[in-house]
Amino acid sequence: MSGEDNRWGILYCPKHGITASKKRWAKIENCLKDNDIKFDFVQSEDQSSVTRLINMFINNGYKTIVIVGGDSALNDAVNCLMSVDSSIREKICLGLIPNGLMNDFAHYWQLKENDVNQIIGWIKQRRVIWAVFIIQTQKEIFVIDTS
């Protein structure tokens, strides 16, 4: 894996108990290819692997990391980013393609699971569609909506 500047790191977190995850990934993969996105793909084995895989993308120099998952995976990714030096963190674009069970964060920002092509376009443009405060305690980092 190489984090060349234009290659995205994609972390796919399939929904538990949902049998359509291969079809879902195929749709996302086709949208990425249609948008001429170069990417490396990893799939989480379970919730505990998200942190390890996000840190792998960060340590390999990826500038665009996309979570295909839900609130929990997004929270883990934010915590990983907040644990690295700000000079590294500020160069990384974190994107979200909703694929969770609840998707509260995505629903608040009106990101819909079926709008994959539009979301990929926004990430490609590095368009910021949400503003949050990040509060760090000794052990946890919380993302709080500012709207």
Side-chain angles (χ1 to χ4, degrees), residues 7-30:
R7 184 170 285 278
W8 292 11
I10 308 285
L11 174 58
Y12 181 64
C13 304
K15 295 180 187 180
H16 298 290
I18 306 295
T19 56
S21 42
K22 286 186 180 180
K23 285 183 184 177
R24 173 84 172 138
W25 170 247
K27 178 180 180 178
I28 294 167
E29 183 178 29
N30 287 335

Side-chain angles (χ1 to χ4, degrees), residues 2 8 21 28 34-35 37-38 40-41 47 52 58 65 72 77 79 88-89 94 96 101-102 115-116 118 122 131 136:
S2 167
W8 292 11
S21 42
I28 294 167
D34 290 346
N35 280 279
I37 304 295
K38 295 179 184 176
D40 291 319
F41 162 85
Q47 185 176 352
R52 176 178 52 83
I58 293 168
I65 300 173
S72 180
N79 274 282
I88 296 169
R89 179 175 56 243
L94 179 64
L96 174 68
L101 294 176
M102 299 301 290
D115 291 342
V116 175
Q118 182 176 32
W122 287 337
Q136 185 170 5

Side-chain angles (χ1 to χ4, degrees), residues 40-133:
D40 291 319
F41 162 85
V42 293
Q43 181 173 322
S44 64
E45 299 90 28
D46 54 37
Q47 185 176 352
S48 65
S49 67
V50 172
T51 299
R52 176 178 52 83
L53 295 169
I54 292 297
N55 280 324
M56 178 190 67
F57 282 139
I58 293 168
N59 293 333
N60 283 299
Y62 286 83
K63 302 298 183 233
T64 303
I65 300 173
V66 179
I67 306 300
V68 181
D71 298 324
S72 180
L74 177 62
N75 183 61
D76 290 345
V78 169
N79 274 282
C80 290
L81 283 173
M82 293 305 295
S83 68
V84 298
D85 189 79
S86 63
S87 64
I88 296 169
R89 179 175 56 243
E90 291 168 357
K91 295 176 184 172
I92 296 174
C93 173
L94 179 64
L96 174 68
I97 297 174
N99 195 50
L101 294 176
M102 299 301 290
N103 294 317
D104 290 332
F105 189 85
H107 286 153
Y108 181 84
W109 293 102
Q110 299 176 356
L111 298 176
K112 298 191 177 33
E113 284 191 31
N114 293 330
D115 291 342
V116 175
N117 200 47
Q118 182 176 32
I119 294 169
I120 288 171
W122 287 337
I123 297 168
K124 189 176 178 180
Q125 295 171 4
R126 293 196 159 352
R127 181 174 169 206
V128 176
I129 58 170
W130 60 75
V132 294
F133 278 127

